[in-house]
Amino acid sequence: MNRLWVRLTLAFIAITLVGATMIAVLVDWSASNQFRQYLARQDNLTQSGLLTELAAFYQQKGTWAGVSDVFANLATNRARGQGQGQGSGQGRGRPPMVLADATLRVVYDERDTRVGSLLSADERASAQLVTANGATLGYLLLDTAGRGALAPAEQNFLDQLRGTLIIAALVAGAIGVGLGLLISRTVAAPLSDLAQSARAFAAHDWERRVPVRGADEIAEVAREFNAMADELHQAETLRRNLIADIAHELRTPLTVLQGNLRAMLDDVYPLDHSEIATLYDESRLLNHLVDDLRELALADAGQLPLHLQPVNLDQVLRATVNNFAIAADTQNVRLVIQDFETFRVQADPDRLAQILRNLVSNALRHTPSGGQITIGSETQSQTLRVSVSDTGEGIAAEDLPHVFDRFYRGDKSRARGSGGTGLGLAIVKAWVEAMGGSVGVVSERGHGSRFWFTLPQSAQ
């Protein structure tokens, strides 16, 4: 099974078993070695008379040649002691004795297998020194190599120690396996939840979210998944609303066209210029809607054609005010431009003019008679900020985050008399961002609105 929790569990098992085995082997080797050294030292301590005899022998002879006689006398004395019932068991199972000279070269070995070889560093550390007048004459030790060198009771102790280590290793391994299984399942469970939620979300269960739990990294993945799910859910909702809104906006002029044409065919309406003009206006509305949708699609694809150049903002603002002067007078609304210096921005002049027209048109639509629309600008570092403020009814707090969404209108009935198609502000946002700026709105219900956008200042 290629499951994460299985692989993690197997990894824990392998690590636990290898670790426990290595620890058991090292502890067994260390305990056995230390125990043998301990026995050797203990036995050597009982041979203090031997060290004296060896020192006297070397001082008398000046060489270790013939030292085997000293060990032969020692063996004879022990045999006599055992025969008299003294020192019963002394030396039984004792490892063979080894004597090396001052250069660590073996000069005597009871087994006669190591003569001429050198002592190892460990052997030197455990050896007893043969000294005279402060000078080291040789090294005496018990050769601990070989299992049979230990007495049965001593070997039994080491066997029991090894058994205990094996049991401890098995217990530790079992605990490690259990903990590994628990940890691996705990680690893998949030990922399993994430996979299930992803499958459910792919099946259009838009409300499905992932519980945020587990390690920080996994919890972060869950939070990001939930954030992505929220955005996709919102995008799906907007897509559905967009389709419904497009259908609604297309249905109205098409219904007018179809109804009037049908009435003309049935001779209900006369085929005169006024009726044809009405049909022409509806066809222009359809064409305008299609053009707006095309512009937005190009902006989304990053293919909106722009002709960026230095533009005199003062000229564009005053031209916009002049274009809306008659409409503002008709609604008894003051259209004011705040005094500001002449600035040049890097923008497409036609797009910039359309942005201002959309914002002023939107402000006129929502400003009552006797109100005022103010157009101003201010510099901000490397950008220029333009604002269009009105004294209209303002925007509800719940509508503010959506005013730049396509086809979004505060009037849910989408009556023609209370607004346009709902694409004007969406186009403003798309064009401003395509020219490297940003857009926003500040509004409070009953206190008017202030729409603003920024554009890069021109270096020329």
Side-chain angles (χ1 to χ4, degrees):
M1 293 178 64
N2 194 25
R3 302 297 296 270
L4 177 61
W5 71 268
V6 174
R7 299 177 69 176
L8 286 174
T9 301
L10 293 177
F12 275 110
I13 291 175
I15 293 172
T16 301
L17 292 180
V18 170
T21 301
M22 290 183 63
I23 291 174
V25 170
L26 290 175
V27 170
D28 175 68
W29 175 83
S30 178
S32 178
N33 187 54
Q34 293 297 326
F35 183 63
R36 290 174 183 272
Q37 291 180 6
Y38 169 76
L39 292 179
R41 292 191 185 100
Q42 290 296 103
D43 204 4
N44 283 338
L45 289 176
T46 65
Q47 309 300 328
S48 57
L50 177 60
L51 293 175
T52 303
E53 292 182 19
L54 290 173
F57 175 84
Y58 188 85
Q59 286 180 314
Q60 181 181 1
K61 300 290 186 178
T63 178
W64 287 114
V67 72
S68 59
D69 294 339
V70 177
F71 288 98
N73 293 333
L74 174 65
T76 302
N77 293 334
R78 284 186 175 179
R80 291 176 180 175
Q82 291 177 5
Q84 297 173 1
Q86 299 175 359
S88 178
Q90 184 178 11
R92 184 179 300 170
R94 172 182 57 76
M97 285 186 290
V98 175
L99 177 65
D101 60 16
T103 63
L104 301 179
R105 188 169 301 279
V106 176
V107 296
Y108 173 79
D109 176 15
E110 283 188 332
R111 292 176 303 183
D112 200 21
T113 59
R114 298 188 55 186
V115 175
S117 63
L118 294 176
L119 296 182
S120 66
D122 290 340
E123 290 176 327
R124 177 183 178 182
S126 62
Q128 296 292 321
L129 299 180
V130 180
T131 61
N133 300 324
T136 300
L137 305 177
Y139 299 88
L140 177 66
L141 76 155
L142 299 179
D143 190 355
T144 58
R147 175 187 175 94
L150 295 178
E154 296 159 350
Q155 186 62 53
N156 184 54
F157 170 78
L158 284 181
D159 291 341
Q160 290 180 357
L161 178 61
R162 291 192 182 98
T164 302
L165 290 175
I166 293 174
I167 294 174
L170 292 177
V171 172
I175 295 175
V177 170
L179 290 176
L181 180 61
L182 177 62
I183 294 173
S184 62
R185 290 305 296 253
T186 302
V187 170
L191 296 178
S192 179
D193 293 340
L194 180 62
Q196 293 177 8
S197 298
R199 285 192 292 269
F201 200 81
H204 297 172
D205 182 3
W206 305 114
E207 303 299 327
R208 187 66 173 266
R209 296 296 182 271
V210 182
V212 179
R213 62 192 181 96
D216 291 343
E217 293 82 358
I218 298 178
E220 182 66 20
V221 172
R223 280 190 290 269
E224 293 299 327
F225 177 88
N226 290 339
M228 178 196 68
D230 291 338
E231 293 181 4
L232 290 177
H233 188 192
Q234 182 181 8
E236 176 63 17
T237 301
L238 292 176
R239 184 188 68 81
R240 293 177 179 178
N241 293 340
L242 179 64
I243 293 174
D245 291 337
I246 291 175
H248 181 277
E249 294 298 331
L250 291 174
R251 185 185 301 113
T252 301
L254 286 175
T255 300
V256 173
L257 285 171
Q258 185 178 15
N260 288 359
L261 288 173
R262 188 69 214 176
M264 291 178 185
L265 290 174
D266 294 340
D267 296 326
V268 175
Y269 291 157
L271 189 61
D272 55 21
H273 288 286
S274 62
E275 293 300 330
I276 293 176
T278 300
L279 296 179
Y280 177 72
D281 288 339
E282 295 298 329
S283 67
R284 288 179 62 249
L285 178 62
L286 275 175
N287 186 69
H288 181 66
L289 177 61
V290 171
D291 286 343
D292 287 347
L293 289 173
R294 179 177 178 275
E295 295 283 353
L296 289 173
L298 290 175
D300 285 343
Q303 300 176 356
L304 187 67
L306 294 173
H307 303 284
L308 299 178
Q309 56 186 286
V311 178
N312 190 320
L313 183 61
D314 178 66
Q315 295 178 356
V316 179
L317 290 179
R318 296 191 184 282
T320 302
V321 171
N322 292 335
N323 290 336
F324 283 93
I326 297 177
D329 290 340
T330 302
Q331 294 183 210
N332 191 27
V333 174
R334 291 186 61 199
L335 196 55
V336 178
I337 298 180
Q338 289 181 339
D339 293 334
F340 54 83
E341 300 179 10
T342 300
F343 294 105
R344 296 173 71 84
V345 294
Q346 191 72 11
D348 185 316
D350 295 331
R351 305 292 187 190
L352 177 57
Q354 184 62 48
I355 290 170
L356 289 169
R357 284 196 295 270
N358 285 3
L359 291 178
V360 174
S361 174
N362 182 73
L364 274 174
R365 189 180 298 115
H366 296 283
T367 303
S369 176
Q372 177 175 308
I373 298 174
T374 305
I375 303 175
S377 66
E378 58 179 327
T379 58
Q380 294 183 337
S381 184
Q382 302 299 318
T383 63
L384 184 69
R385 178 167 175 158
V386 180
S387 62
V388 177
S389 305
D390 63 64
T391 57
E393 71 273 13
I395 303 172
E398 62 271 16
D399 292 329
L400 271 178
H402 307 289
V403 293
F404 293 102
D405 293 344
R406 298 169 191 182
F407 290 105
Y408 188 84
R409 287 174 55 183
D411 176 21
K412 303 306 178 184
S413 66
R414 305 188 66 85
R416 287 291 182 189
S418 61
T421 62
L423 289 177
L425 294 178
I427 290 174
V428 168
K429 184 175 185 294
W431 286 350
V432 168
E433 291 180 349
M435 290 188 289
S438 58
V439 65
V441 59
V442 178
S443 181
E444 185 178 349
R445 195 67 172 175
H447 294 82
S449 304
R450 180 166 63 89
F451 286 85
W452 58 266
F453 66 90
T454 62
L455 289 175
Q457 293 190 50
S458 174
Q460 301 180 6

